[in-house]
Amino acid sequence: NAGVTQTPKFQVLKTGQSMTLQCAQDMNHNSMYWYRQDPGMGLRLIYYSASEGTTDKGEVPNGYNVSRLNKREFSLRLESAAPSQTSVYFCASSDLLGTENNEQFFGPGTRLTVL
Amino acid sequence: TQLLEQSPQFLSIQEGENLTVYCNSSSVFSSLQWYRQEPGEGPVLLVTVVTGGEVKKLKRLTFQFGDARKDSSLHITAAQPGDTGLYLCAGEGGYSTLTFGKGTMLLVSP
């Protein structure tokens, strides 16, 4: 099992460009998440999908959109990138929806720079 | 908004020393998790604590959940260079989402 995979690993964009970050998991998990990690800020939730067919905003959703393509895949789109979106983006998944042990499995991250 | 405050933000120690990292909140969480993140990788779960007052041990790591389920601590005995990394606490609120603290960066030198 590959676990959670993310593409690309690195990306440089110019202000105003758009791009989609891809995430896939092979653990048959119901829930998937997108976070951004900035120095000194920890992990902040952008969007999540509690189950296939649903998506909800997290703490910092502005400037982003998501698509839960199927149970395996959850993509994050930046329509018009801004320098403030320079960050490391992590995708995660979990299987135990609403239970006590909501362990989240993380991908290796996408390092995005917006110039 | 539920907030988790971690302290210290950065800790640099010598191999063999003991240390404690704290995670505090004014909110009650149904459970609290500790993750470790190594450079260039995603966080990996170390432990989940669920019951107030609970203590869990993982080799040289001891995790404690406060009686009121608002705070937690991580104690490492005889730290080793392999313990180096970013330690994150995360509280589970509602809808299966986690609120993460800002993390404690630990550097253990030989």
Side-chain angles (χ1 to χ4, degrees), chain B residues 2 6 10 12 15 22 25-26 36 48 56 60 73 75 83 88 96 101:
Chain B
Q2 298 175 309
Q6 284 190 245
F10 184 77
S12 180
E15 182 176 2
Y22 299 93
S25 175
S26 58
R36 181 168 71 202
T48 301
K56 282 192 174 179
R60 295 176 292 100
S73 64
H75 182 79
D83 295 326
L88 295 158
S96 296

Side-chain angles (χ1 to χ4, degrees), chain A residues 33 37 98 101-102 104 111, chain B residues 33 35 37 40 48 96 102:
Chain A
Y33 311 83
Q37 186 174 37
N101 190 16
N102 182 19
Q104 295 192 6
R111 283 141 188 85
Chain B
Q33 302 178 358
Y35 289 80
Q37 183 179 18
T48 301
S96 296
K102 294 182 179 181

Side-chain angles (χ1 to χ4, degrees), chain A residues 31 33 35 37 40-45 48 50 59 90 94 96-109 111, chain B residues 1 3 9 30-31 33 35 37 39-45 48 50 86 88 92 94-103:
Chain A
S31 304
Y33 311 83
Y35 294 91
Q37 186 174 37
M41 296 297 293
L43 285 161
R44 292 183 293 170
L45 183 65
Y48 67 102
E59 180 186 355
F90 287 98
S94 74
L96 302 176
L97 180 66
T99 66
E100 291 181 343
N101 190 16
N102 182 19
E103 176 180 2
Q104 295 192 6
F105 294 82
F106 287 81
R111 283 141 188 85
Chain B
T1 302
L3 295 175
Q9 289 185 329
S30 58
S31 68
Q33 302 178 358
Y35 289 80
Q37 183 179 18
E41 300 181 7
V44 176
L45 181 70
T48 301
V50 178
L86 179 67
L88 295 158
E92 181 170 6
Y95 307 104
S96 296
T97 62
L98 296 176
T99 298
F100 281 85
K102 294 182 179 181

